[in-house]
């Protein structure tokens, strides 16, 4: 009887230890809420975009909406969300659907697929200094002279300012995480790309600048020859 009782105590301790070892991670500690996914959620951005070609700029200003439309399970059983992107010139115009992308979120990463190309948008846990490769699952390679840290010919992204307040366009967000994709600046090249995510909201600010310059012999300055600038600022979010 005593042996049976001892065996029962040891077995109970073993089971309790296993339950403690394999319990689900704390979502807040992992940073899952920096990239929320729920059917009906939407975000609206003001977008300013400029293309430079042969020193001539072409400007675009419009609004972009990303709406989580439906979800489904892929062939591996992973839950995937379908996101519809719509555009309009301003709030007085109806939305016009522009493109579709899909997003899946596992315990270790967020994967976005757009135009049949997969991108790692975020990894978990979210913490300062953690690095990851956004183009790990696609064929994109970094061209020479792009600056920044590379891994097997691909740009390395880094988490910064995790948990910090962030202000943009008059709006303040109390808990954010910045994904620095690259910052490289010399006289003839500017590559400045980053994304800021707010807890419980998602992406609130995106900057993309890849600009090439040439020197001006007449004034010792520089002018833009070609490139692309784009900024997205969140102006509205909610659930339909």
């Amino acid at each position: 009887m005593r042996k049976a009782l001892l065996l029962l105590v040891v077995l109970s301790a073993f089971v309790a230890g296993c339950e403690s070892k394999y319990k689900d991670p704390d979502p807040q500690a992992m940073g899952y809420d920096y990239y929320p996914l729920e059917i009906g959620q939407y975000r609206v951005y003001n977008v300013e975009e400029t293309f430079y070609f042969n020193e001539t700029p072409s400007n675009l200003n419009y609004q972009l909406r990303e709406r989580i439309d439906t979800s489904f399970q892929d062939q591996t059983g992973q839950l995937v969300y379908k996101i519809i992107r719509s555009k309009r010139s301003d709030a007085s115009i109806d939305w016009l659907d522009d493109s579709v992308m899909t997003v899946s979120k596992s315990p270790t990463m967020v994967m976005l697929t757009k135009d049949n190309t997969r991108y790692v948008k975020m990894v978990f846990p979210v913490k300062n200094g953690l690095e990851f490769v956004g183009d790990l699952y696609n064929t994109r390679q970094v061209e020479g002279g792009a600056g920044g840290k590379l891994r097997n010919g691909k740009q390395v992204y880094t988490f910064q300012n995790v948990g910090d307040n962030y202000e943009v366009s008059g709006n303040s967000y109390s808990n954010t995480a910045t994904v620095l994709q690259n910052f490289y600046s010399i006289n003839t090249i500017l590559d400045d790309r980053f994304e800021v995510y707010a807890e419980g909201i998602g992406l609130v600010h995106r900057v993309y600048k890849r600009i090439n310059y040439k020197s001006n012999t007449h004034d010792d300055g520089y002018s833009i020859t070609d490139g692309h600038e784009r900024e997205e600022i969140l102006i509205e979010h909610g659930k339909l």
Side-chain angles (χ1 to χ4, degrees), residues 71-140:
S71 65
F72 60 93
Q73 286 188 331
D74 64 13
Q75 61 272 22
T76 68
Q78 174 72 49
L79 186 62
V80 179
Y81 293 87
K82 175 184 173 183
I83 298 177
I84 297 177
R85 304 183 94 193
S86 307
K87 288 183 178 181
R88 65 184 181 187
S89 56
D90 56 58
S92 66
I93 306 299
D94 291 338
W95 290 107
L96 181 64
D97 290 348
D98 174 72
S99 59
V100 174
M101 58 189 186
T102 60
V103 176
S104 62
K105 182 166 70 172
S106 73
T108 58
M109 72 176 68
V110 174
M111 185 80 72
L112 181 147
T113 301
K114 181 183 178 183
D115 298 329
N116 295 318
T117 303
R118 295 192 296 170
Y119 305 92
V120 179
K121 299 303 295 180
M122 186 174 289
V123 297
F124 304 112
V126 175
K127 60 181 181 180
N128 280 318
L130 183 66
E131 299 176 342
F132 65 98
V133 178
D135 290 318
L136 183 63
Y137 297 100
N138 62 52
T139 59
R140 295 164 64 96

Side-chain angles (χ1 to χ4, degrees), residues 21-92:
K21 182 178 179 180
Y22 295 108
K23 68 180 181 180
D24 292 335
D26 177 29
Q28 187 170 18
M30 294 295 287
Y32 293 150
D33 283 346
Y34 286 121
Y35 209 111
L37 288 170
E38 186 178 350
I39 293 174
Q41 286 179 335
Y42 73 92
R43 294 183 295 271
V44 178
Y45 303 91
N46 273 340
V47 181
E48 294 185 2
E49 194 164 20
T50 303
F51 295 90
Y52 299 91
F53 183 72
N54 291 334
E55 303 182 51
T56 302
S58 176
N59 300 310
L60 295 172
N61 294 297
Y62 57 92
Q63 292 185 342
L64 174 69
R65 183 181 71 180
E66 295 182 351
R67 173 174 57 88
I68 302 179
D69 182 57
T70 55
S71 65
F72 60 93
Q73 286 188 331
D74 64 13
Q75 61 272 22
T76 68
Q78 174 72 49
L79 186 62
V80 179
Y81 293 87
K82 175 184 173 183
I83 298 177
I84 297 177
R85 304 183 94 193
S86 307
K87 288 183 178 181
R88 65 184 181 187
S89 56
D90 56 58
S92 66

